[in-house]
Amino acid sequence: MSVVRNAAAAVTIAALAGAGCSFDFGFGGTRYRCGTGERCPDGQVCVAGFCEADPDARPDGDGGDVDADVSGPCGNLTLLQDTFDAAGAGAYWYGYADTGATVGESGGQLVIDVGANVSAFAGYNSSHLYDLHGGWIDAHVSEVLASNTILEVRNHLGNVAQLVHEDGNLRVGIYNVTGEGTLTQRPWNPAEVYWRIGENGGDMVWQVSTDRAAWTELHRRALPFDVSHVRGVVGGGGTATAASRARFDDVNAGAPNALYCPAQQLTDDFAAAPLEPQFEAYAQAGCTVTETGGALTFSYTNGTGNIFCGITTFHLWDLARGDGVVVDSNGLPSIANFVSYMQLTLPGTGGRTRVETTLENGSLEYRLYVSDTIMDRRTYTLDRTAHRYWRTRGMGTTAIFETSPDRAAWTERWRVDAPFALSPVELNIGGGHYGTVTVPLTATIPGVNAD
C-alpha cells in the first residue's frame, strides 16, 4: 500500500489585504528529554534532563546573530535547502497558485508570475515540518513583484511571521497571533537581495544582507508563537495594475550542516488527541483514525473493496545512525484480506519507494520497494508471541528488521541494503483490506517508541 501525503491545499498568505530520549512538545519550544547514559543528537549534550547544544561541538557564535553555526535542535529549518536548478517542486516542497498567477522553476530560479488587475498568490510551501530554534530560513530574492514578495515561517497552528516587499518598502509582520500586524518597515535597498527569518536566544529575528555574510537586523522580538513545528514559504502576490514577476535564486544555500532527529526521539503513546503535529492521518471512506484509550485505532465500517487508513509523520527522521522505531503489533488483525504495515518511505515518492514490515494473512513479511515494485522480501509464519514487537532500525543504507516478545530480547529477522539513504525518511503506519472482511473491524497500536 503506497500513500501520497495529504498536503494542504494552496496556502493563503495571511493579513496582506539519543536512545531513550523523548520529545517534549511544550509550547516553550521543542527539547529532548534525556537521562544518565542516554544519547542526545549529535552536537548536543544532556544537561539537567534535557538535550542542549554542546558549546564544545562547534565554533563560538557571533554575539547573538543568527548567522552563527546551527545550534538549535535536530530537524532544523536550515535543512530545507534548494537551488531551484532542477525543474519541479521536488521532494520537499509543494507549489500553490491562484487563478491569475503561476509558479515554476526556470533557469535555476523559482519564478512567480502574477497577472495585471487580479488578486492572486503563488509560491512554494515546504511539504514537511521543521524546528526553527537556533536556525532560520533565508532566500536570495533577485526580483520582486509589483504587489507583494514574501518570505514566511508558518507553524502547525497557522501562526505566521513574514518579511515582505511592497511598494518599495520592506515590512516585518506577524499574523494570526496576538499583537498581529506590521511590526516595523523601512525603504528597501535593492542590493539587499538576501532575506532571512530566524530564531536566536528566544527571539525571532528578521534580517537582510547584500552578500549573505554581513546581516542587517530589521527587527527582533520575543518569539510570538511556537516555532517547534514550522514550514518555510517563499511566494508572493496581491493586486497590481501591471503584470509582474518575482524570482528566488535559492533557499538556505550554503547553510551549515544540520541533522535530522534520531528516530528514537519520535515517541507517541496516543494518550491524547490530536495527532498533529507529530502525525497526519489519511483515510479512505469506510475507515477512521482516532486516538482512543491510549491507542491509535483504525476502525473499518465498510467490509468490501480496498479500504485503507493510517498515519504519516509531518517531520522527517534519521534512521541511518543505528536508531530504531518500535511498535506493538498485538492489536493488529491476522485475518484473510487484511494487511497492516510499518513503512519507512523516501520523501517525494508518495510512499512508493520504501522498506516495510507487513502483517498479512498470517504471515510476517519484510519488503523492499522501489517505485512500488518489490525488489526483495523475507517471509515468516506469524508467531504472535515471538513477533509481538516490531523494530526497524538502520545503519547507513542498511535496514535491519527485528522482533521481540517483550521489548528486551531482540531477534534479527532480515537486513537489506536499500537504494536510498535512511535519512531523511517518513514513517507511515497503517492498514486496511483489499477484499471482503467482516465489519465492524478495528486495528490498534498502543504507541510508537512508547513503553
Side-chain angles (χ1 to χ4, degrees), residues 144-290:
V144 296
L145 287 162
S147 48
N148 305 279
T149 304
I150 304 164
L151 177 66
E152 176 178 297
V153 172
R154 173 184 293 258
N155 77 356
H156 64 293
L157 301 173
N159 308 137
V160 174
Q162 292 182 340
L163 179 55
V164 180
H165 172 271
E166 182 183 19
D167 296 330
N169 291 310
L170 280 178
R171 184 173 70 248
V172 168
I174 56 174
Y175 305 99
N176 301 334
V177 68
T178 300
E180 69 175 6
T182 299
L183 302 177
T184 189
Q185 69 177 31
R186 68 152 170 83
W188 176 52
N189 175 1
E192 294 171 336
V193 294
Y194 300 102
W195 302 3
R196 183 163 69 180
I197 302 173
E199 187 276 345
N200 174 261
D203 291 339
M204 185 169 284
V205 185
W206 291 258
Q207 299 170 302
V208 290
S209 174
T210 61
D211 58 6
R212 223 178 212 148
W215 291 87
T216 299
E217 187 172 297
L218 297 174
H219 188 71
R220 173 187 288 261
R221 57 150 296 160
L223 285 172
F225 52 81
D226 177 25
V227 297
S228 304
H229 316 283
V230 300
R231 299 182 191 271
V233 183
V234 287
T239 304
T241 57
S244 61
R245 167 174 289 180
R247 292 183 295 130
F248 293 86
D249 273 354
D250 54 58
V251 168
N252 282 340
N257 290 332
L259 295 171
Y260 291 96
C261 292
Q264 284 191 332
Q265 291 185 358
L266 172 60
T267 62
D268 199 329
D269 59 9
F270 302 125
L275 285 163
E276 299 82 3
Q278 283 269 50
F279 297 98
E280 97 180 296
Y282 59 89
Q284 295 175 298
C287 182
T288 58
V289 180
T290 58

Side-chain angles (χ1 to χ4, degrees), residues 64-99:
D65 194 3
V66 296
D67 62 345
D69 284 348
V70 172
S71 59
C74 52
N76 196 271
L77 186 57
T78 53
L79 288 161
L80 180 62
Q81 301 175 7
D82 202 332
T83 61
F84 304 125
D85 288 338
Y92 304 106
W93 301 99
Y94 66 86
Y96 62 93
D98 296 332
T99 301

Side-chain angles (χ1 to χ4, degrees), residues 18-22 33-41 44-46 49 51:
C21 297
S22 62
R33 297 187 184 277
C34 55
T36 302
E38 294 177 340
R39 184 174 68 79
C40 291
Q44 297 187 28
V45 293
C46 192
C51 295

Side-chain angles (χ1 to χ4, degrees), residues 327-345:
V327 297
D328 182 351
S329 70
N330 197 49
L332 300 178
S334 176
I335 60 176
N337 299 333
F338 192 92
V339 57
S340 306
Y341 46 83
M342 180 173 74
Q343 303 171 338
L344 303 175
T345 69

Side-chain angles (χ1 to χ4, degrees), residues 81-443:
Q81 301 175 7
D82 202 332
T83 61
F84 304 125
D85 288 338
Y92 304 106
W93 301 99
Y94 66 86
Y96 62 93
D98 296 332
T99 301
T102 61
V103 61
E105 296 181 36
S106 177
Q109 298 178 329
L110 180 68
V111 179
I112 299 168
D113 285 301
V114 178
N117 298 311
V118 296
S119 178
F121 289 86
Y124 270 12
N125 189 44
S126 67
S127 301
H128 301 90
L129 296 177
Y130 301 85
D131 194 329
L132 186 65
H133 287 98
W136 62 84
I137 181 171
D138 74 41
H140 180 182
V141 186
S142 56
E143 186 174 355
V144 296
L145 287 162
S147 48
N148 305 279
T149 304
I150 304 164
L151 177 66
E152 176 178 297
V153 172
R154 173 184 293 258
N155 77 356
H156 64 293
L157 301 173
N159 308 137
V160 174
Q162 292 182 340
L163 179 55
V164 180
H165 172 271
E166 182 183 19
D167 296 330
N169 291 310
L170 280 178
R171 184 173 70 248
V172 168
I174 56 174
Y175 305 99
N176 301 334
V177 68
T178 300
E180 69 175 6
T182 299
L183 302 177
T184 189
Q185 69 177 31
R186 68 152 170 83
W188 176 52
N189 175 1
E192 294 171 336
V193 294
Y194 300 102
W195 302 3
R196 183 163 69 180
I197 302 173
E199 187 276 345
N200 174 261
D203 291 339
M204 185 169 284
V205 185
W206 291 258
Q207 299 170 302
V208 290
S209 174
T210 61
D211 58 6
R212 223 178 212 148
W215 291 87
T216 299
E217 187 172 297
L218 297 174
H219 188 71
R220 173 187 288 261
R221 57 150 296 160
L223 285 172
F225 52 81
D226 177 25
V227 297
S228 304
H229 316 283
V230 300
R231 299 182 191 271
V233 183
V234 287
T239 304
T241 57
S244 61
R245 167 174 289 180
R247 292 183 295 130
F248 293 86
D249 273 354
D250 54 58
V251 168
N252 282 340
N257 290 332
L259 295 171
Y260 291 96
C261 292
Q264 284 191 332
Q265 291 185 358
L266 172 60
T267 62
D268 199 329
D269 59 9
F270 302 125
L275 285 163
E276 299 82 3
Q278 283 269 50
F279 297 98
E280 97 180 296
Y282 59 89
Q284 295 175 298
C287 182
T288 58
V289 180
T290 58
E291 295 179 87
T292 304
L296 179 69
T297 302
F298 308 138
S299 301
Y300 302 86
T301 56
N302 182 345
T304 304
N306 296 329
I307 308 292
F308 285 84
C309 57
I311 59 173
T312 303
T313 52
F314 272 115
H315 286 262
L316 295 167
W317 299 90
D318 182 353
L319 264 86
R321 292 181 284 157
D323 295 307
V325 177
V326 177
V327 297
D328 182 351
S329 70
N330 197 49
L332 300 178
S334 176
I335 60 176
N337 299 333
F338 192 92
V339 57
S340 306
Y341 46 83
M342 180 173 74
Q343 303 171 338
L344 303 175
T345 69
L346 181 65
T349 67
R352 290 178 288 275
T353 296
R354 63 192 187 272
V355 292
E356 72 176 28
T357 301
T358 298
L359 172 58
E360 183 176 6
N361 291 341
S363 294
L364 180 66
E365 188 161 279
Y366 304 105
R367 301 170 180 171
L368 166 63
Y369 285 85
V370 175
S371 299
D372 258 350
T373 299
I374 295 181
M375 308 302 293
D376 204 352
R377 70 208 305 173
R378 292 292 185 276
T379 303
Y380 294 85
T381 299
L382 179 66
D383 182 325
R384 275 294 192 183
T385 299
H387 299 157
R388 174 171 178 173
Y389 293 95
W390 301 351
R391 180 166 73 180
T392 304
R393 58 188 181 89
M395 193 67 66
T397 60
T398 301
I400 303 166
F401 300 88
E402 299 166 315
T403 63
S404 172
D406 55 9
R407 290 195 65 177
W410 291 92
T411 300
E412 181 176 314
R413 301 299 178 181
W414 191 42
R415 64 173 59 206
V416 63
D417 287 331
F420 58 92
L422 297 178
S423 177
V425 293
E426 299 170 349
L427 173 67
N428 176 33
I429 299 172
H433 58 83
Y434 49 84
T436 301
V437 297
T438 301
V439 293
L441 173 68
T442 61

